Amino acid sequence: MFDLGGAMRGSVHVTGTHHVRHWDQFTAVRACLGPLNAFQDTAPADVLPRLARSRTGYRGSLTLYRDTPADRPQVSVYPMESAAGHQPSPRTAATLTAVLRACAEHVEQRADFPQILTASRERDTPALLRFLAWSADYHHGAAARLEDKARASRPALRAAVAAWWTVARWFTAHPSPVPLLLLADRDGSLARQVDVQAWLGPYCLTEAAGEHDRARNAETEAASLRAQQRTRRAVHQTRPATSAIAG
């Protein structure tokens, strides 16, 4: 927890958290405006940080992360807003962001930062596992619905092509403007229906593959978190025995 002075009054809560794109990797730092972890609790308006000589408190957070330990830090900013729900001015937003980043960078340089990340992983893993299970189910369901659409597009495409040829033969036998409108590539025509159904099947299958990938990624991250839990428990269980042998 950081108590602010000078340009701002109030406090900033800093904790370890997972990488913004890899939910099983606890390598990042999250700084929240206020004395609470904003991703778990909502701080009341009267305890939110505010600029000097201002009565407006602000909510928001910043995540500092790296893709590899040697990378330069990257920043992801959660939208800042006042206690009343208004966006801050660009200058105020820049000040809030700078304060959050300074606090996050300070924690990242602490000697006990690895222990902070470990404690954060143990705290957040149960909720993350529930979310990842929901996410995998959601994406599998979305993939199934898209695959159903792809399958339904096949008979629809055959029916559209058959209808187009039926009208084409009719137009050949009896030329007139009405069947010509159905055969032309325009909104509502048979030709457009053929194009849409021909596009829909492959598109749905491509999207379904993406949904399956997202589901597998959620399952992989959940498996990684469970493995880390097992490793941590095994370490705790072996420590007393090790101490006894050492003694």
Side-chain angles (χ1 to χ4, degrees):
M1 188 75 66
F2 291 83
D3 291 322
L4 306 175
M8 290 189 66
R9 301 190 306 272
S11 56
V12 168
H13 182 281
V14 183
T15 184
T17 189
H18 56 80
H19 189 285
V20 296
R21 290 187 296 273
H22 307 288
W23 291 39
D24 60 326
Q25 299 177 18
F26 276 74
T27 57
V29 192
R30 183 171 63 239
C32 302
L33 292 168
L36 305 173
N37 183 348
F39 280 66
Q40 292 184 325
D41 301 288
T42 300
D46 60 345
V47 300
L48 294 175
R50 57 205 66 213
L51 298 178
R53 298 183 299 278
S54 172
R55 296 182 179 180
T56 302
Y58 290 96
R59 293 188 174 92
S61 68
L62 175 149
T63 301
L64 189 71
Y65 65 97
R66 303 170 189 266
D67 286 326
T68 68
D71 280 349
R72 295 183 62 182
Q74 306 293 316
V75 170
S76 174
V77 179
Y78 194 78
M80 309 282 185
E81 65 177 18
S82 70
H86 303 303
Q87 286 189 339
S89 69
R91 184 176 179 179
T92 298
T95 300
L96 297 172
T97 300
V99 168
L100 288 175
R101 178 163 185 164
C103 294
E105 288 177 341
H106 179 85
V107 169
E108 191 183 40
Q109 298 304 315
R110 287 173 59 110
D112 61 349
F113 183 52
Q115 288 77 21
I116 292 174
L117 292 178
T118 297
S120 301
R121 185 181 66 242
E122 291 178 346
R123 176 199 66 211
D124 292 348
T125 289
L128 283 175
L129 287 174
R130 291 191 295 271
F131 170 77
L132 291 170
W134 171 87
S135 179
D137 288 344
Y138 173 83
H139 290 300
H140 279 312
R145 290 188 291 273
L146 287 163
E147 288 165 346
D148 286 343
K149 282 187 177 182
R151 282 190 291 271
S153 72
R154 296 168 192 163
L157 174 60
R158 290 194 295 269
V161 170
W164 191 93
W165 279 109
T166 297
V167 174
R169 287 191 289 270
W170 178 27
F171 175 73
T172 301
H174 307 283
S176 71
V178 174
L180 186 59
L181 292 175
L182 294 174
L183 296 173
D185 186 10
R186 57 187 298 276
D187 289 344
S189 70
L190 291 174
R192 186 60 58 85
Q193 290 183 33
V194 171
D195 287 342
V196 168
Q197 295 302 329
W199 164 85
L200 183 61
Y203 169 80
C204 287
L205 290 177
T206 298
E207 292 297 303
E211 294 291 347
H212 280 307
D213 286 342
R214 286 183 277 275
R216 282 191 292 268
N217 185 65
E219 291 165 347
T220 298
E221 290 181 335
S224 173
L225 285 171
R226 285 191 289 268
Q228 292 176 64
Q229 277 185 320
R230 290 192 296 269
T231 300
R232 187 70 178 169
R233 292 194 194 104
V235 169
H236 281 305
Q237 291 170 358
T238 57
R239 276 178 179 169
T242 302
S243 300
I245 292 171

